[in-house]
Amino acid sequence: MIQYLTNNYEIVWQALQEHLYLALLPILFGFVISLPLGYLAVRFTWLYHPLINTFGVLYSVPSLALFVFLPVILGTKVLDPVNVVVALTVYTVALLARTVADGLRSVDPVVVQAATAMGYRRTRRLIDVELPIALPVILAGLRVATVSNISLVSVGSLIGIGGLGQLFTRGFQLFYLEPILIGIILSVLLAGIADLIIVLVQRAVTPWTRAA
């Protein structure tokens, strides 16, 4: 395995970079989109169940089917990485929107009323009071979405899109175990490192949870 890694360093490095790009960019997009959607689901209670049910249906769509179907909607080529980015953004929003809504709903109404009584307007109250309290729940959902995306990127290799999944398909095509093992090990390491980073960020931005 070491010899294969040495001889194919550039291929493995390029696959790793593509994997990071295809996994983390949808996390960024999905997080930004999920915050207002989750807030709307809490602000307008009649929206909560329709939104959550819609996202549940979207998340149940098989990833490979979505990768293949998106070019029809977006007008892109089948091998365009944009298909994977958009598909994983959809999955991220489907996971995080509910997490954001549940996190905001978990804020004690007494705390919200106290902030309002102190003169906090709705936007400032959301940013300064509600979101910080909801952060542990939101970041827990972000951890799940991040690890899920890192694993789902590999499915894109079945339709010829890059990432560590290319090592899997190459190994299966050549009946060669080394690239498969390297792909698995790097995928697990990526997921573990990404999860650890989010945990450390959570500990840094929510010190009160450690004190509790």
Side-chain angles (χ1 to χ4, degrees):
M1 188 169 67
I2 300 298
Q3 183 177 358
Y4 178 88
L5 189 59
T6 303
N7 295 337
N8 299 274
Y9 172 79
E10 291 185 1
I11 295 175
V12 174
W13 176 242
Q14 183 179 357
L16 181 61
Q17 288 179 305
E18 291 177 354
H19 203 97
L20 279 171
Y21 165 78
L22 293 172
L24 299 184
L25 194 60
I27 289 292
L28 176 61
F29 291 156
F31 186 74
V32 171
I33 296 170
S34 297
L35 286 175
L37 287 177
Y39 173 73
L40 288 175
V42 175
R43 177 73 177 82
F44 305 101
T45 54
W46 57 271
L47 270 179
Y48 179 82
H49 290 292
L51 280 176
I52 298 309
N53 291 336
T54 300
F55 293 140
V57 171
L58 287 175
Y59 195 76
S60 67
V61 176
S63 56
L64 184 58
L66 194 56
F67 292 160
V68 174
F69 184 67
L70 273 175
V72 179
I73 301 174
L74 302 176
T76 55
K77 296 180 180 179
V78 174
L79 298 182
D80 195 327
V82 170
N83 300 322
V84 173
V85 172
V86 172
L88 295 186
T89 299
V90 170
Y91 288 133
T92 302
V93 172
L95 277 174
L96 284 183
R98 176 168 188 165
T99 304
V100 171
D102 289 344
L104 292 174
R105 293 178 76 184
S106 70
V107 178
D108 193 333
V110 174
V111 174
V112 176
Q113 292 171 6
T116 303
M118 292 174 63
Y120 282 80
R121 295 186 180 275
R122 181 173 294 152
T123 302
R124 186 186 173 198
R125 186 183 67 207
L126 173 67
I127 295 173
D128 291 350
V129 179
E130 296 176 60
L131 275 177
I133 295 175
L135 263 182
V137 176
I138 295 173
L139 291 178
L142 184 64
R143 291 173 62 188
V144 174
T146 301
V147 172
S148 175
N149 273 17
I150 290 173
S151 64
L152 285 174
V153 168
S154 298
V155 179
S157 64
L158 296 177
I159 57 174
I161 298 177
L164 293 173
Q166 286 184 325
L167 300 179
F168 301 154
T169 54
R170 180 171 300 173
F172 284 122
Q173 290 168 353
L174 300 176
F175 299 100
Y176 197 31
L177 184 61
E178 277 75 2
I180 298 174
L181 289 176
I182 291 173
I184 292 173
I185 291 171
L186 288 179
S187 296
V188 172
L189 283 175
L190 277 182
I193 292 171
D195 186 67
L196 178 61
I197 290 173
I198 296 173
V199 169
L200 293 176
V201 169
Q202 178 177 341
R203 288 174 63 86
V205 300
T206 59
W208 59 87
T209 57
R210 298 201 304 274

